[in-house]
Amino acid sequence: MLGGTAVGGADRKAGGTACVTLTASSALTALVFAVGLLTTSQTKASENPYDRVLQRQLDRLAALKGRPEAAAPLAVIAGLADDLLPSQIEAAVHNVADDPASDPLVEAQAAALLADLLDQRGEVKEATARRTALGLLTRPWVVGPFGEGRASFAQAFAPEKEGGIVDPARRYAGKEREVAWRPAAAAVRQGMLLVDGMLRPDNQTSAFAVWVVGSETAREAAVRIGSPGPFKVWVNGVLVGSRDVVRATALDQDACAIRLRRGANRILIKTVITDGPWRLLVRITDRAGRALVLPEEDAAATAAGVVVTAPPTRATGGAPVRTLEALLRARVAKAPSGPAGAQALLDLGQFLIWNAPTDRDARDDATALEQSIARRPSVEALLALADVARDDDERRRALERAAGLAAADATAAEGREQHAVILAKLGEVARQQHRDTVAVERWRQALRLDAHCWPAAVALAEEEQTAGLSRVAASRLEVLPVALRGIRRVGMQLVRLWEALDRHADADALLALLQSQRRSDPEIAHHQSMRARQRSDGAGAIAALERA
């Protein structure tokens, strides 16, 4: 549920239009102090309507500790990244990533999310250590592109016939020109192979990547893959898995049972891209999902003397490979009808939205959410369904139904806050449909229900700035609790308004705080570069552009 109670109430007039002018230093000090209250006190809320969502998911994480279905509240928390302070998300994720009682697959998802947050904050060394502990592979060789579109998945090209043996001198007939194997460690960023950083064209085609890992003993294991399109996997010449699917890349979307032999093991992946970013995430675990951090060898250096024979088509035997998708689907199959079944379907739908393991055209996430709603309508399921709607009308219908459920509980503060956020979302849909009068009325309704509904306040401020009413717009955001300025959308809109009002010191102070929390955010860095140029600070402008 949405909501929160007051903190630092002396700095505002609820629902009013008072304009509080702060110097650069006092603005930054006040905001840092307010952020400190958010991150160190469980008893004082930030007056952010999304705080109650976070707390409910934290309660679920505690209740589901050690179980794979804890992936669902973790997915919801990850989806709150634009609605909460980064420190709030980071603290929540730490609880899962550093708890030895966590399910290993959930722990891995939390660790990957935490690594991204650490990178965002500029803690690159710690983020790298987190990813290394996941067993992500980082020393590939790549060759391609080959073939045309999704059809290339079924077409056999020379590298797969050769078992992924890397000979840098060997030339192949590629999609548009001759291609050869190339070392790709430099194209690995944050544990992810950026295939589109190496190959052209980088859509409607396919390529191959190979890694060589060492193992001190023969053992059962799993290779876990995140891919944007169809893939095939061979280990030591054995085809161990494939899937014809189009999606966005995420950690551990698929897993294949493998048998590592003692010594060097060659992992070959064929990856197909239709459109969008072409990225691969590959790691080795045991079959339960615990990471195996194995040494990597140079695939070209270990190619000599390798003989490719006709292997069996699949690796068989041993313990089954666990995946979160399969475990959550099995829970749905076993769940009784009624509330328990509705919750299992909601958990599955929320995980599928986040991890996207299935084909995007199949819309399995929407199907799970619709089935959950059919068993037990809930605001949470309807909001999730709105997020995966195919068009604005479908999204509007889901939000209107959610608003009806929330309005029934509007006598409580929690219900009013929830209803306000839904009205703010309906306003965004109306704006997308060019129903501007309806949009403005929705946002005003939201603020009448909850004066701290910042999504509605920001939306109205954007409209007011466009109409040339920058001072009115700035006043609207300044009466929100100071801590909310650490929310990216609130902070950046206030920066733009203060710049329009020539309050550059205030704008610079807030930009500095936003950048300290989000060092990898290119828009913030670019904005800082623009501000530095306006101050005739050439060195500062260049440094900010380099960050961007």
Side-chain angles (χ1 to χ4, degrees):
M1 303 292 284
L2 300 168
T5 54
V7 62
D11 65 354
R12 73 204 182 284
K13 296 179 182 178
T17 57
C19 178
V20 180
T21 302
L22 300 173
T23 65
S25 59
S26 63
L28 185 57
T29 300
L31 187 49
V32 170
F33 175 73
V35 170
L37 289 177
L38 287 169
T39 57
T40 60
S41 174
Q42 291 291 330
T43 60
K44 296 183 180 180
S46 69
E47 294 181 316
N48 183 347
Y50 287 97
D51 283 345
R52 205 180 298 270
V53 181
L54 174 62
Q55 187 57 55
R56 188 161 52 128
Q57 300 309 320
L58 289 174
D59 292 343
R60 287 209 73 214
L61 277 176
L64 297 172
K65 183 176 179 177
R67 295 161 57 181
E69 50 264 42
L74 183 65
V76 177
I77 290 171
L80 294 172
D82 292 333
D83 305 315
L84 294 167
L85 298 171
S87 56
Q88 291 177 285
I89 303 289
E90 187 175 326
V93 174
H94 256 298
N95 291 335
V96 182
D98 293 335
D99 189 342
S102 296
D103 182 277
L105 294 174
V106 179
E107 180 185 357
Q109 295 289 345
L113 176 56
L114 181 57
D116 290 342
L117 292 167
L118 290 167
D119 264 328
Q120 179 175 277
R121 189 156 53 81
E123 301 292 340
V124 177
K125 186 175 181 179
E126 185 180 348
T128 301
R130 292 273 180 182
R131 294 192 182 96
T132 299
L134 288 174
L136 289 163
L137 302 184
T138 60
R139 295 184 60 191
W141 281 68
V142 169
V143 64
F146 298 93
E148 297 294 333
R150 202 165 180 174
S152 60
F153 175 65
Q155 186 177 354
F157 299 100
E160 59 194 280
K161 296 176 184 177
E162 297 171 355
I165 303 304
V166 174
D167 177 2
R170 175 87 155 84
R171 296 292 184 269
Y172 302 92
K175 181 181 176 78
E176 294 182 352
R177 64 189 70 85
E178 280 195 344
V179 296
W181 286 102
R182 298 162 57 195
V188 175
R189 293 287 186 276
Q190 299 176 336
M192 182 181 294
L193 172 59
L194 310 185
V195 184
D196 50 9
M198 295 191 64
L199 304 182
R200 292 293 183 275
D202 58 3
N203 60 76
Q204 299 298 332
T205 189
S206 65
F208 296 87
V210 66
W211 297 259
V212 174
V213 298
S215 178
E216 293 182 352
T217 62
R219 66 174 91 183
E220 292 179 354
V223 57
R224 297 185 183 270
I225 300 152
S227 74
F231 69 87
K232 293 182 179 179
V233 186
W234 296 262
V235 175
N236 298 326
V238 177
L239 179 67
V240 296
S242 65
R243 192 172 185 181
D244 188 358
V245 61
V246 174
R247 60 199 178 187
T249 303
L251 185 76
D252 291 0
Q253 291 171 307
D254 287 284
C256 308
I258 63 174
R259 178 77 179 170
L260 294 175
R261 62 192 179 195
R262 186 179 177 215
N265 295 266
R266 187 172 302 272
I267 299 170
L268 172 68
I269 294 182
K270 179 179 186 176
T271 171
V272 178
I273 185 68
T274 55
D275 53 48
W278 196 0
R279 314 288 166 82
L280 284 178
L281 282 163
V282 183
R283 71 187 190 111
I284 306 296
T285 72
D286 66 13
R287 297 197 178 180
R290 289 177 287 269
L292 298 177
V293 183
L294 303 175
E296 292 187 63
E297 303 176 26
D298 188 293
T302 58
V306 175
V307 177
V308 178
T309 60
T313 57
R314 297 276 176 179
T316 58
V321 174
R322 300 170 75 246
T323 69
L324 287 172
E325 180 190 357
L327 291 166
L328 291 175
R329 288 188 183 279
R331 176 170 170 247
V332 167
K334 295 176 183 177
S337 59
Q343 185 64 59
L345 283 160
L346 174 57
D347 288 345
L348 174 63
Q350 289 171 329
F351 173 75
L352 294 177
I353 291 172
W354 181 43
N355 191 250
T358 61
D359 193 276
R360 65 190 181 196
D361 290 336
R363 303 194 73 232
D364 286 6
D365 46 12
T367 299
L369 294 169
E370 288 165 352
Q371 292 174 351
S372 175
I373 293 164
R375 294 193 184 194
R376 183 191 60 180
S378 70
V379 171
E380 189 175 1
L382 285 161
L383 288 175
L385 185 62
D387 286 341
V388 296
R390 287 169 294 192
D391 54 47
D392 286 335
D393 283 333
E394 191 174 275
R395 184 168 186 245
R396 176 181 53 78
R397 288 192 293 270
L399 289 172
E400 286 176 343
R401 191 172 176 191
L405 292 178
D409 191 32
T411 55
E414 185 175 339
R416 289 195 298 273
E417 291 159 357
Q418 186 179 61
H419 193 194
V421 168
I422 297 169
L423 288 171
K425 291 177 180 289
L426 281 166
E428 294 289 350
V429 174
R431 179 161 59 182
Q432 289 293 324
Q433 296 180 323
H434 307 292
R435 297 158 58 222
D436 296 339
T437 302
V438 173
V440 169
E441 180 54 29
R442 292 290 196 188
W443 295 324
R444 288 175 174 166
Q445 288 174 348
L447 288 172
R448 285 196 291 270
L449 283 170
D450 176 16
H452 302 149
C453 182
W454 63 261
V458 171
L460 282 172
E462 290 170 348
E463 296 296 314
E464 288 161 346
Q465 184 178 23
T466 300
L469 302 173
S470 295
R471 193 171 302 279
V472 173
S475 297
R476 182 180 297 283
L477 297 187
E478 286 166 344
V479 299
L480 293 174
V482 173
L484 290 180
R485 297 176 190 177
I487 305 297
R488 186 186 187 283
R489 188 177 166 196
V490 178
M492 288 302 295
Q493 180 60 25
L494 196 49
V495 164
R496 287 188 285 268
L497 288 166
W498 281 344
E499 288 174 343
L501 296 171
D502 294 328
R503 292 172 56 183
H504 300 302
D506 290 339
D508 286 344
L510 184 49
L511 264 179
L513 183 125
L514 291 170
Q515 194 268 335
S516 72
Q517 298 173 335
R518 302 169 177 85
R519 294 184 185 277
S520 62
D521 189 310
E523 182 186 356
I524 293 174
H526 189 271
H527 211 93
Q528 285 186 308
S529 174
M530 178 186 71
R531 289 288 305 121
R533 286 199 306 273
Q534 291 171 349
R535 296 192 304 270
S536 300
D537 177 7
I542 291 171
L545 282 176
E546 287 175 345
R547 287 198 305 274

